Amino acid sequence: MSASHQFPTRSVHLAQHPARLPSANISDDADHASISTSAIQRLSTLSIDDLTDDAIWRDTCALTGTLRTFYSSSRVRKVWEKLSAKHKPTNFARILGSSHVTRLGPHGCWVEAMFTFDIQEPRPARCSGIIGLVPSSSGFQSNEWKIWMLSTILEQPEGFRNVDELEPQPSDTKAASVHAGHREKYDCVVVGGGIAGLCMAARLQALGLSYLLIEKQATIGENWRRNRYDSLKLHTSKSYNQMPYEPRTFREQDPYHLGTADLADGFERFVDTFGINLMLSTELTSGSWDSDTKCWSLKMMSNGSNFKTTASHCVLAVGNQGVKPNMPSYPGRDLFQGEIIHGMDWRNADRWKGKGLKGICVGSANTAHGVIADMARAGFQSITMIQRSRTFLLPTSTFSALVDPLYNYETPLPLSDRMLLGYPLPVQRLMAKAGIKMCADASSEYFDRMEAQGWDVERDGDLWGMMYDREGGHFLDLGSAELVADGTVTVKSTLPVGYTSKGLKMSDGCHIDGDVIVFATGYTGNLKDTARRVFGDTIGNSLEEFWQCDEEGESRGAWKYTGHPALWYTGHGFAHARYYSRFVAMHIKADVDGKPFETYTETPSV
């Protein structure tokens, strides 16, 4: 990456990027296999006539060495031509059985297929791709279809082990899988033993790299066991949230929605199964970079003792949220005679069970619904939810309808991840919106009941936009929406303006009584703050932010150049951490081998 690249980059909402879902008129008997085969073969001599005017191409490390997305036929053709001359892609072939006509109701229709190809220079590698095709205005013959969407993905550099395969450790060695000491030098140190850190460590191990994974808690998964509210369940399915590699970490007998104990047990099982090199009760306290030796000097504290180690690379997998609770401040705090809790500190409502108390929850997203469900189980006399803004509500049935066909125990995880995350992010967003819209249209009564109780419902919201732009603010319903729909929970959509002795005063002049007020109002702080604290202002200030999207519609900082050649970010959701960690691991492997990926940084004019 060019040293002149300045960070942080400008954040651009995902919805602002130029992308569309084509609504072509394609018959059910269209010969999609021949159509896609012809188009894939033309990639070796791609011309501007092969592309729609608004074509979009995403490359994931195959030709650009990083994550890039290009828009318009002119720009796609220019970049493809230049990078093809450099990398010499060849052997384009459709993957048998992958072609089909994609239909998203009235929202989109195209022919799609997956393919493979090879690059020859400067490092030979096997790659894959996804192609989306629409008929040209001139006809429907196989050579009259144009590319509107293209995705290319690095799979297997020559000389690398397979990053998607990792053998379980023999049973007689599993007990020794947790690290008891440390070496003087590693290829990589991974900081944070949650989902992102575990995936990252396993990918490094699959490539034969030396690494150390450190976790500040005393046991793996302790953050889930002790630092989350007791009734928390993942709002997405266990198949979607699997760890990489076989056997699957979360078993068929585990619940569809994993609880905190299920997650912690699964993490321990993963460490044990694959012999992850993990050091517990260990925290990275500071680090410095030696530009001459190209090595990190890292200071750690483990069980009260300090030690040092060095590493060629460092990956931060410590999360981007939960740094500090975001607690709104209202006048009259000293007047209130009850208890005030932030959602970060909420565990359960057991100590108030049967006392007939009145509860108030400020917020209406996922955590808030966990809180009101706990209050209802504890028999609170009244429960009021303060909805500060319109909330996107996603029923479990919608998630299952859209995601279960991709993530299940029959489909290999690497294939599932490419089918969900391989597309350009703006296209992923539009496909998710279209699917959610179709499901919402078929479930109007579900939303009608919520609205009848005063809940401001967004029925077909922008899930991908919320994930990338806001990192939350939505609600995936595991059943607590019924508490609103049946009137058990009262909804108030005006905002608090101050405390009273018995509760909150609202902007419309009314008062809400409450003995317990929970603020499910999110967090402040980000991963860059952590990097600055550990590595100092000189390095920290030069780094990219973590998350949201850049001007190309790629995530900022995550899984690519951060502003420092040997410091990486990983994190976000389970599927993202699992899939994108493979590319970070390959980057580190290439650098350790002395032949780092060459990164394409240009953006040709249209």
Side-chain angles (χ1 to χ4, degrees):
M1 178 68 71
S2 171
S4 63
H5 198 98
Q6 298 296 309
F7 292 120
T9 58
R10 184 171 71 96
S11 172
V12 179
H13 283 191
L14 201 50
Q16 294 179 263
H17 294 88
R20 68 177 182 99
L21 296 184
S23 297
N25 184 15
I26 303 173
S27 66
D28 291 335
D29 59 357
D31 190 354
H32 48 75
S34 296
I35 291 165
S36 56
T37 297
S38 175
I40 290 166
Q41 290 173 347
R42 296 200 304 274
L43 290 173
S44 59
T45 57
L46 187 68
S47 74
I48 199 167
D49 292 334
D50 295 315
L51 303 163
T52 63
D53 291 342
D54 58 353
I56 180 171
W57 168 35
R58 186 190 197 196
D59 182 72
T60 307
C61 296
L63 299 176
T64 64
T66 185
L67 308 179
R68 298 288 306 272
T69 300
F70 305 100
Y71 303 85
S72 83
S73 57
S74 176
R75 182 167 290 146
V76 168
R77 196 269 308 168
K78 286 180 180 179
V79 177
W80 183 271
E81 185 177 73
K82 181 167 186 174
L83 294 179
S84 293
K86 177 180 179 180
H87 294 286
K88 298 178 174 57
T90 187
N91 299 328
F92 289 95
R94 177 177 58 86
I95 296 176
L96 295 178
S98 70
S99 65
H100 58 276
V101 177
T102 296
R103 297 187 190 278
L104 294 175
H107 311 291
C109 182
W110 63 90
V111 166
E112 183 176 305
M114 302 181 77
F115 61 93
T116 59
F117 66 103
D118 299 320
I119 57 173
Q120 308 303 315
E121 301 288 347
R123 180 196 292 272
R126 178 172 53 83
C127 304
S128 70
I130 306 170
I131 195 168
L133 303 159
V134 293
S136 68
S137 58
S138 58
F140 288 81
Q141 299 301 314
S142 61
N143 63 346
E144 295 174 334
W145 290 71
K146 293 195 172 189
I147 300 168
W148 75 272
M149 185 276 297
L150 184 64
S151 175
T152 47
I153 303 166
L154 176 65
E155 296 291 349
Q156 180 71 45
E158 187 176 273
F160 282 26
R161 298 181 187 178
N162 190 338
V163 73
D164 291 320
E165 293 182 1
L166 183 61
E167 289 295 320
Q169 295 292 300
S171 58
D172 59 350
T173 66
K174 289 179 181 179
S177 62
V178 175
H179 198 84
H182 61 87
R183 298 168 37 167
E184 292 185 359
K185 173 71 186 295
Y186 294 93
D187 294 326
C188 185
V189 167
V190 181
V191 184
I195 172 65
L198 288 169
C199 289
M200 192 70 248
R203 299 293 194 186
L204 296 168
Q205 184 168 315
L207 291 178
L209 294 162
S210 65
Y211 73 92
L212 175 64
L213 172 63
I214 63 169
E215 165 56 43
K216 66 180 181 180
Q217 303 292 344
T219 60
I220 197 69
E222 185 171 340
N223 192 45
W224 286 96
R225 289 187 190 277
R226 300 182 185 276
N227 299 328
R228 308 296 178 97
Y229 60 91
D230 297 345
S231 63
L232 184 148
K233 293 183 181 297
L234 292 187
H235 297 81
T236 48
S237 69
K238 63 182 175 184
S239 291
Y240 178 81
N241 295 315
Q242 289 287 358
M243 310 291 283
Y245 307 121
E246 299 288 346
R248 301 285 175 102
T249 299
F250 302 112
R251 305 155 299 187
E252 293 196 60
Q253 65 264 34
D254 291 327
Y256 181 89
H257 293 291
L258 298 167
T260 55
D262 302 313
L263 283 166
D265 290 346
F267 290 169
E268 289 181 341
R269 192 160 50 245
F270 184 79
V271 169
D272 186 54
T273 298
F274 296 105
I276 300 300
N277 194 33
L278 169 67
M279 200 166 183
L280 295 166
S281 300
T282 304
E283 189 169 1
L284 175 62
T285 57
S286 66
S288 59
W289 174 254
D290 189 322
S291 57
D292 293 327
T293 62
K294 297 189 182 305
C295 196
W296 290 107
S297 177
L298 303 172
K299 294 181 180 180
M300 315 271 195
M301 178 175 285
S302 182
N303 290 303
S305 299
N306 296 313
F307 72 93
K308 295 180 181 180
T309 191
T310 60
S312 299
H313 290 262
C314 183
V315 180
L316 297 182
V318 294
N320 197 42
Q321 290 188 327
V323 180
K324 295 179 182 178
N326 179 28
M327 179 69 85
S329 177
Y330 305 118
R333 168 68 180 84
D334 56 325
L335 299 175
F336 181 58
Q337 299 175 8
E339 190 163 356
I340 298 173
I341 303 172
H342 188 270
M344 174 184 278
D345 300 314
W346 179 264
R347 295 296 173 265
N348 56 57
D350 291 353
R351 60 193 170 106
W352 300 295
K353 191 171 185 178
K355 294 184 178 181
L357 301 182
K358 298 177 180 180
I360 300 173
C361 183
V362 181
S364 57
N366 286 321
T367 300
H369 282 266
V371 170
I372 64 169
D374 283 349
M375 289 179 170
R377 281 190 288 269
F380 273 51
Q381 177 184 339
S382 68
I383 306 168
T384 303
M385 171 177 278
I386 297 176
Q387 185 184 24
R388 298 180 298 166
S389 61
R390 193 179 193 202
T391 309
F392 171 40
L393 171 58
L394 187 72
T396 295
S397 58
T398 296
F399 177 90
S400 298
L402 299 178
V403 177
D404 286 358
L406 286 180
Y407 287 93
N408 49 64
Y409 285 90
E410 289 72 44
T411 307
L413 271 174
L415 176 60
S416 300
D417 285 342
R418 284 152 185 77
M419 292 168 67
L420 180 74
L421 301 173
Y423 302 90
L425 263 61
V427 173
Q428 293 179 33
R429 168 186 171 266
L430 292 173
M431 292 173 68
K433 277 182 62 68
I436 290 168
K437 170 68 173 171
M438 288 190 295
C439 291
D441 288 347
S443 306
S444 59
E445 183 181 352
Y446 171 85
F447 300 103
D448 291 344
R449 295 181 65 222
M450 297 285 287
E451 288 181 337
Q453 298 295 335
W455 216 65
D456 192 359
V457 181
E458 188 169 4
R459 302 183 179 218
D460 52 354
D462 185 357
L463 180 60
W464 241 243
M466 290 178 177
M467 284 198 303
Y468 279 89
D469 300 333
R470 294 181 57 188
E471 292 192 82
H474 56 284
F475 167 46
L476 277 74
D477 180 26
L478 301 187
S480 60
E482 181 62 26
L483 296 172
V484 175
D486 69 7
T488 299
V489 173
T490 300
V491 178
K492 192 73 176 174
S493 58
T494 53
L495 298 178
V497 294
Y499 290 97
T500 69
S501 62
K502 295 183 178 180
L504 290 172
K505 180 179 180 180
M506 307 302 289
S507 59
D508 63 356
C510 77
H511 294 74
I512 301 175
D513 289 346
D515 302 292
V516 180
I517 303 176
V518 180
F519 286 89
T521 48
Y523 311 93
T524 62
N526 56 50
L527 194 51
K528 183 175 177 177
D529 293 339
T530 302
R532 185 185 292 108
R533 175 180 59 80
V534 172
F535 299 109
D537 289 343
T538 301
I539 289 177
N541 291 339
S542 69
L543 298 176
E544 174 66 292
E545 297 286 354
F546 177 86
W547 217 240
Q548 299 185 323
C549 288
D550 61 19
E551 293 183 348
E552 287 188 353
E554 292 289 351
S555 59
R556 298 192 300 166
W559 314 295
K560 60 183 182 181
Y561 184 69
T562 60
H564 191 286
L567 183 62
W568 304 85
Y569 299 149
T570 185
H572 198 57
F574 281 61
H576 289 75
R578 178 181 61 238
Y579 175 62
Y580 288 107
S581 59
R582 69 188 304 276
F583 302 105
V584 178
M586 286 192 285
H587 265 285
I588 294 172
K589 170 64 174 171
D591 183 65
V592 168
D593 285 353
K595 196 175 182 180
F597 294 158
E598 296 182 18
T599 304
Y600 179 73
T601 61
E602 300 174 29
T603 303
S605 59
V606 177

